[in-house]
């Protein structure tokens, strides 16, 4: 006679749980690689070490600077104006008044590519536009 040593209250993952675990673990392992593919990691010695939060947007245009994003500031100029244009076009207006595209919608509309203003991180790669783009796209919702 054999005895089952498992408690009647012990639960084991069923096939559905086991089948979801593999893809979840693969995704978790891939996230760091996906994030670095979007741009460089930033600089470890920013001039701003304690970023100042931006106020909530009240229009489709907002001044933004390195002081707001700290080590994730992706540009060689230290300030400018973020603007949401027609059809969610994310734009950056540099101190000299030149308007640059932060996303494909703006590039497709004919705005200049932001590439020449991109700063390089400690790893030598251009710093990701992610934080600046996110702040700019928030302005799109402020108009409504």
């Amino acid at each position: 006679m054999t005895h089952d040593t498992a408690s009647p209250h012990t639960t084991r993952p069923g096939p559905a749980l086991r089948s979801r675990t593999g893809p979840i673990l693969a995704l978790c392992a891939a996230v760091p690689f996906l994030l670095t593919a979007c741009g460089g990691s930033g600089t470890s010695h920013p001039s701003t070490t304690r970023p100042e939060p931006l106020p909530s947007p009240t229009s489709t245009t907002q001044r933004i600077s390195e002081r707001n994003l700290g080590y994730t500031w992706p540009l060689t100029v230290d300030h400018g104006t973020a603007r949401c244009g027609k059809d969610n076009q994310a734009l950056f207006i540099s101190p000299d008044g030149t308007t640059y595209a932060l996303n494909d919608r703006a590039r497709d509309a004919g705005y200049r590519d932001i590439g020449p203003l991109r700063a390089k991180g400690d790893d030598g790669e251009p710093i990701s536009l992610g934080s600046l783009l996110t702040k700019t796209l928030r302005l799109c919702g402020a108009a409504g």
Side-chain angles (χ1 to χ4, degrees), residues 11-81:
T11 57
R12 294 187 179 129
L17 180 59
R18 282 193 299 265
S19 68
R20 287 183 285 188
T21 307
I24 291 170
L25 291 175
L27 178 62
C28 290
V31 165
F33 298 108
L34 293 173
L35 292 176
T36 57
C38 297
S41 60
T43 178
S44 58
H45 300 291
S47 60
T48 301
T49 56
R50 290 189 176 163
E52 298 171 12
L54 282 167
S56 294
T58 58
S59 74
T60 58
T61 302
Q62 187 173 50
R63 297 220 2 107
I64 190 165
S65 75
E66 181 182 13
R67 291 187 341 218
N68 303 119
L69 300 182
Y71 76 94
T72 64
W73 181 253
L75 305 175
T76 56
V77 295
D78 67 348
H79 70 282
T81 302

Side-chain angles (χ1 to χ4, degrees), residues 57-135:
T58 58
S59 74
T60 58
T61 302
Q62 187 173 50
R63 297 220 2 107
I64 190 165
S65 75
E66 181 182 13
R67 291 187 341 218
N68 303 119
L69 300 182
Y71 76 94
T72 64
W73 181 253
L75 305 175
T76 56
V77 295
D78 67 348
H79 70 282
T81 302
R83 188 179 87 192
C84 177
K86 182 175 100 174
D87 298 324
N88 294 328
Q89 296 167 0
L91 305 166
F92 179 80
I93 303 154
S94 69
D96 71 2
T98 305
T99 301
Y100 293 92
L102 294 173
N103 64 2
D104 289 340
R105 288 178 182 235
R107 259 187 305 284
D108 292 346
Y111 289 99
R112 214 177 276 217
D113 186 78
I114 193 77
L117 287 187
R118 300 265 314 260
K120 296 196 184 313
D122 290 340
D123 60 3
E125 294 294 318
I127 297 172
S128 171
L129 295 172
S131 58
L132 179 59
L133 181 59
T134 298
K135 301 285 187 197

